[in-house]
Structure formats: structure tokens, C-alpha cells
């Protein structure tokens, strides 16, 4: 899942971004409203966490403008104004999908982000499988031949993307964009190291093939 945090309070933005990354989400950060709009036009974010009180362009204006897109991100409005009238205005007039007043509990924010992401189109089955591998995204469980595996958030996200591709190659750059975020140097060995650990945990190195120039794919 890819998330954009539009928040001008640097400490809060960094705290939110770090926490979401630990939940296996790829997170980018914007400090102004115009930057948030520009980034949403360039990148297909699943969820936008949007502060209403942003410099240059207000969060209200960003929300209104993004709603004109054919496929806008799901938007959670963050604000210090938590009165009922403010929430109603954000949800009905501005077109936000959810509304969270500051201060908030981080666990609640994570739950709301995940709830919004579930509104996006889903694969036909809640459980993805390929050969002996089965992945239940809702339960965050993985097994091979019925044997449960303990995966890190990044390993889980990489495997999920490979399963969604159904055996077709997933490019290195796509893994970087989807599982990590814009700050990861595409030349880093993070993807290769994560795939290597994942192969070891799957118990069969040949299950994930590396195709030169194509990326990684699952093998029968």
C-alpha cells in the first residue's frame, strides 16, 4: 500500500511516516498543499493523510481539487478542529473519505488507513496462492505447503506483490515504488537483500527467479 502524508509539522509528519512504514506501507511526505497535489498527480497513492491547515494551498483546496481526478486517492483529513460541524463539512462538502481530529491515537490512524484501502478493488479471493504458497492479506498470514511462515513487513509486501503478478515479472523499480518509497535509492541492495531473505524463509530458493532486465517472478 502506498500512502502520502501531507503535514507541515515536521515532527508529526516524520512520526506518522515512520510508524506507517513499520506497518509495511510505502510512505511519502509533503509539507505544503501544492506539493501534495503535485505528488498525487504524478503517483497513484492508495491513501492520502491530509492536514487541513497546510501552507501555500490549504488541505481543503487540495481535497476539492483531487476529487476532480478520475481515480483519486482515499483521503483522511487531519485537523485540530474536531467539532461535529467541521467533520460534516469535511466529509460532505470537501469530499473526504474519513476525518480524524488531532490529537489522535496512532493505532486508530493505522486502522482507518487500512479500512480505506479495503475500499479499493480487491482480487477475487482474499487468499492469494501460487503453487504451494498461500498468503492471506487480511490476516497477514503466509504458509508454504500448510507450514506457517513468519515474515517481516517488507518481506510480506514483496511476496504479496509477486503473488498479485501471478508469475509475471515484477520490475525492481516497481518493487521500490510500491514496497519502499521515494527516498530509497533505486541502486540500493535493499530489494535484493529482502528477496534473498524471503527465498530462505520459503525454503526453496528457486520459487523466486531473478530475470535480468525484467525483475523478479514466482516460479512453479
Amino acid at each position: 500500500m502506498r500512502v502520502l502524508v501531507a503535514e507541515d509539522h515536521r515532527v508529526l509528519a516524520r512520526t506518522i511516516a515512520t510508524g506507517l512504514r513499520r506497518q509495511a506501507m510505502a510512505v511519502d511526505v509533503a509539507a505544503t498543499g501544492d506539493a501534495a497535489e503535485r505528488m498525487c498527480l504524478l503517483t497513484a497513492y492508495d491513501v492520502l493523510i491530509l492536514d487541513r491547515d497546510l501552507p501555500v494551498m490549504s488541505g481543503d483546496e487540495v481535497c476539492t481539487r483531487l476529487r476532480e481526478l478520475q481515480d483519486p486517492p482515499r483521503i483522511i483529513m487531519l485537523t485540530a478542529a474536531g467539532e461535529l460541524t467541521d467533520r460534516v463539512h469535511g466529509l460532505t462538502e470537501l469530499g473526504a473519505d474519513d476525518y480524524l481530529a488531532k490529537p489522535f491515537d496512532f493505532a486508530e490512524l493505522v486502522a482507518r488507513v487500512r479500512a480505506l484501502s479495503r475500499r479499493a478493488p480487491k482480487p477475487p479471493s482474499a487468499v492469494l496462492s501460487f503453487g504451494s504458497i498461500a498468503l492471506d492479506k487480511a490476516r497477514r498470514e503466509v504458509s508454504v505447503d500448510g507450514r506457517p511462515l513468519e515474515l517481516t513487513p517488507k518481506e510480506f509486501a514483496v511476496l504479496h506483490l509477486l503473488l498479485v503478478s501471478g508469475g509475471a515479472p515484477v520490475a525492481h523499480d516497481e518493487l521500490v515504488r510500491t514496497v519502499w518509497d521515494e527516498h530509497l535509492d533505486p541502486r540500493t541492495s535493499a530489494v535484493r537483500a529482502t528477496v534473498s531473505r524471503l527465498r530462505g524463509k520459503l525454503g526453496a530458493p528457486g520459487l523466486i527467479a531473478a530475470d535480468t532486465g525484467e525483475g523478479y517472478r514466482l516460479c512453479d
Side-chain angles (χ1 to χ4, degrees), residues 70-93:
Q70 182 176 0
D71 187 22
R74 305 293 183 182
I75 298 176
I76 300 178
M77 298 286 284
L78 296 182
T79 180
E83 297 296 327
L84 176 60
T85 54
D86 295 306
R87 297 199 300 271
V88 171
H89 178 70
L91 293 170
T92 60
E93 300 299 324

Side-chain angles (χ1 to χ4, degrees), residues 1-5 13-30 39 106 110 114 140 152-154 157 179-184:
M1 183 195 314
R2 188 147 195 185
V3 179
L4 175 62
V5 178
R14 183 169 61 248
T15 299
I16 293 174
T18 300
L20 293 180
R21 287 170 185 145
R22 289 173 178 168
Q23 298 293 319
M25 302 180 197
V27 185
D28 296 330
V29 177
M39 292 170 74
F106 183 73
V110 171
R114 292 200 184 283
R140 300 192 64 76
T152 67
K154 293 301 185 189
V179 178
W180 281 267
D181 54 55
E182 64 179 355
H183 299 294
L184 182 72

Side-chain angles (χ1 to χ4, degrees), residues 23 29 44-46 53 65 95 135 145 158 163 199 211 217:
Q23 298 293 319
V29 177
Y45 291 102
D46 299 295
D53 190 21
R65 292 167 70 109
L135 180 148
D145 286 326
V158 167
L163 284 166
R199 283 179 175 139
D211 295 334
R217 61 182 175 83

